[in-house]
Amino acid sequence: MSQPTTSGWTCVCDEEHACTIWQRGCHENGNYLRVYVPDAAAGAEQPLRAVLYLHGFALCMPSFYESHLLALAAEGYIVFFPDFQCSDYPSPAPGKPVPTWQEVPKAGPWTSKALRVAVRPQGAAAGPEALGDLRRVVLSLLLIELILVVIGWFRRTYAKNLSHLLWTVATSLTSSPKDWLAQALALVEAGWDDLAREPAYAHWRQAQPMVYGFGHSLGGLLSLSLPWALRDEPAARFRPRVIVVADPAAASEMGIPRFVIAMLRLFGTPFTANPLRIQETGPQLCQPVAILHGAADVLVPPDQWVGPIDGSGTNFSAIASQAKAIYFSCSNQPLIAFHNQAVTCTRFYDDALFEFFGGVKHGANAYNTAYLWPGALALFGEQVQPQELLGALPERPFVITTGEPPPTDAV
């Protein structure tokens, strides 16, 4: 049962996974943070190992990755899951069921609210620049909404779901992906300091945890960009020792429908005006890094990482690390090596959306338990170098190649 604390946290004990789940903030205010703390982390004699877990674009709730988050906590890792996007998702307390999006109370028609904000924005306390960014985002989304109305004549459910997905994270589009990365770091830093005030974790105050980075999709790009974000802070607490990512975008605009990007660019929204790209951040990445990708990923196709880019190498070659590897998996029925391999549940949305937006998941499957999860654990435990990862996996289904374009994905 979830219990509120005097410090603003809500917590619940998970006996099955030997951890306590802490949560505070809410998605709407842009300060949501959930932390999975293994019971062992309450012992002063135990080394502290932490994972900074960064979600994909608009996949802002822990429920999208819950099985993996709990599996990491059960292995003894303190897992920080910040919502860096500022979204309109519900924020149920730990242990409470997450509704589907149809079950979330509606605050009123998005279009009418958006028009009022765009034409006569209220709340000047936000400042003229912030209001200008908000207006640009709203106007672009209104135009996208009109396009989706036309698409809805042919693909009604898809258009409805994509519209909801975009409006859910609309406010976050007034910031750039670089701001999102800074927000993620600020949330976990403050979360660590505040949890250290809890009597059970008082020994955290002077501790320097062993930190590891994990991210999926856009969160994968943000994870790979952590060293770049911390380049001027050599003693930063959350500088990762090792980074493992699943199906990462090589640039923040990847994986989003092209007409959406075109409209956001047309209005000069911060999301597209100041993008994040591995070509810029990769030269700062000297830590061991492994990219676990799928050959059937259509949102971020494999050639986005290993194909030539304007004759200047590849996105993978932009990573400076000498200990790096990229792995591709092939489909093997009933498994499909799609974009959402790392996701463990897409229940919040209709399947019609995720059939396009990376692939439907109704629970962890063998791609999670035999490919992604043991790969992350092997590298986080520093048992192997990224180039040796295949030999460290308990099973090796699906994995086909490293560092080169994969063959045609066959089932």
Side-chain angles (χ1 to χ4, degrees):
M1 180 177 180
S2 300
Q3 299 180 352
T5 70
T6 57
S7 58
W9 295 91
T10 298
C11 68
V12 62
C13 294
D14 186 324
E15 295 182 359
E16 179 183 355
H17 298 92
C19 70
T20 301
I21 305 172
W22 298 79
Q23 180 177 304
R24 71 174 180 184
C26 66
H27 296 284
E28 293 88 343
N29 291 342
N31 61 353
Y32 179 92
L33 176 67
R34 181 174 283 191
V35 187
Y36 299 76
V37 183
D39 294 346
E45 71 284 354
Q46 297 292 329
L48 298 177
R49 300 177 297 162
V51 176
L52 177 51
Y53 201 111
L54 300 181
H55 61 75
F57 181 87
L59 302 180
C60 308
M61 294 188 298
S63 62
F64 288 113
Y65 305 95
E66 189 94 60
S67 296
H68 193 198
L69 297 166
L70 288 168
L72 286 168
E75 292 287 338
Y77 293 92
I78 307 166
V79 187
F80 288 81
F81 185 95
D83 177 6
F84 51 81
Q85 273 195 266
C86 186
S87 58
D88 196 36
Y89 284 109
S91 305
K96 299 292 184 181
V98 177
T100 63
W101 75 267
Q102 293 94 336
E103 297 168 340
V104 176
K106 303 297 187 296
W110 267 113
T111 304
S112 61
K113 290 199 305 181
L115 280 170
R116 288 198 299 272
V117 171
V119 177
R120 288 194 299 272
Q122 303 297 315
E129 183 177 347
L131 288 175
D133 287 339
L134 179 60
R135 187 178 297 180
R136 281 190 285 272
V137 168
V138 171
L139 288 172
S140 62
L141 289 182
L142 286 173
L143 186 53
I144 291 169
E145 189 78 20
L146 291 176
I147 296 173
L148 288 172
V149 169
V150 177
I151 294 175
W153 296 342
F154 308 95
R155 301 175 63 186
R156 181 175 180 274
T157 303
Y158 165 74
K160 177 180 66 175
N161 280 311
L162 181 57
S163 173
H164 181 84
L165 182 75
L166 291 172
W167 282 110
T168 296
V169 295
T171 307
S172 73
L173 300 178
T174 61
S175 302
S176 74
K178 294 175 182 178
D179 293 329
W180 297 351
L181 181 52
Q183 173 72 353
L185 285 165
L187 286 171
V188 298
E189 284 281 1
W192 179 278
D193 288 337
D194 291 343
L195 279 175
R197 296 187 178 97
E198 298 289 329
Y201 310 131
H203 59 288
W204 290 18
R205 296 173 192 170
Q206 306 301 324
Q208 175 60 45
M210 294 179 286
V211 175
Y212 306 92
F214 186 90
H216 165 241
S217 189
L218 174 67
L221 173 62
L222 267 61
S223 292
L224 294 171
S225 301
L226 283 167
W228 172 84
L230 297 170
R231 61 194 182 280
D232 297 325
E233 302 179 44
R237 178 187 288 136
F238 278 90
R239 179 180 299 279
R241 301 159 64 98
V242 175
I243 298 173
V244 180
V245 293
D247 302 295
S252 52
E253 297 174 349
M254 284 185 180
I256 301 173
R258 292 182 180 180
F259 78 91
V260 172
I261 294 297
M263 295 302 100
L264 294 172
R265 285 177 177 170
L266 178 65
F267 287 92
T269 64
F271 173 72
T272 52
N274 192 19
L276 190 67
R277 297 189 175 102
I278 195 65
Q279 292 286 324
E280 176 184 1
T281 65
Q284 298 288 334
L285 177 49
C286 298
Q287 291 88 334
V289 58
I291 297 175
L292 307 176
H293 211 83
D297 188 337
V298 296
L299 290 185
V300 184
D303 62 7
Q304 295 294 317
W305 278 100
V306 295
I309 299 177
D310 300 328
S312 59
T314 67
N315 280 315
F316 184 65
S317 67
I319 297 173
S321 176
Q322 298 301 305
K324 63 180 179 179
I326 185 167
Y327 294 88
F328 296 102
S329 61
C330 260
S331 299
N332 183 7
Q333 289 288 11
L335 302 173
I336 304 174
F338 52 34
H339 184 71
N340 282 340
Q341 293 180 79
V343 173
T344 60
C345 181
T346 55
R347 175 182 173 272
F348 184 81
Y349 284 106
D350 290 342
D351 289 355
L353 173 62
F354 275 93
E355 285 174 357
F356 176 86
F357 195 63
V360 175
K361 267 288 187 70
H362 293 300
N365 64 22
Y367 272 122
N368 301 112
T369 58
Y371 180 39
L372 299 174
W373 299 3
L377 288 176
L379 287 158
F380 290 170
E382 301 181 63
Q383 303 165 15
V384 296
Q385 290 293 305
Q387 301 93 323
E388 303 166 346
L389 181 58
L390 286 186
L393 297 180
E395 301 178 54
R396 287 195 289 167
F398 333 127
V399 178
I400 54 172
T401 187
T402 66
E404 298 291 339
T408 301
D409 192 35
V411 297

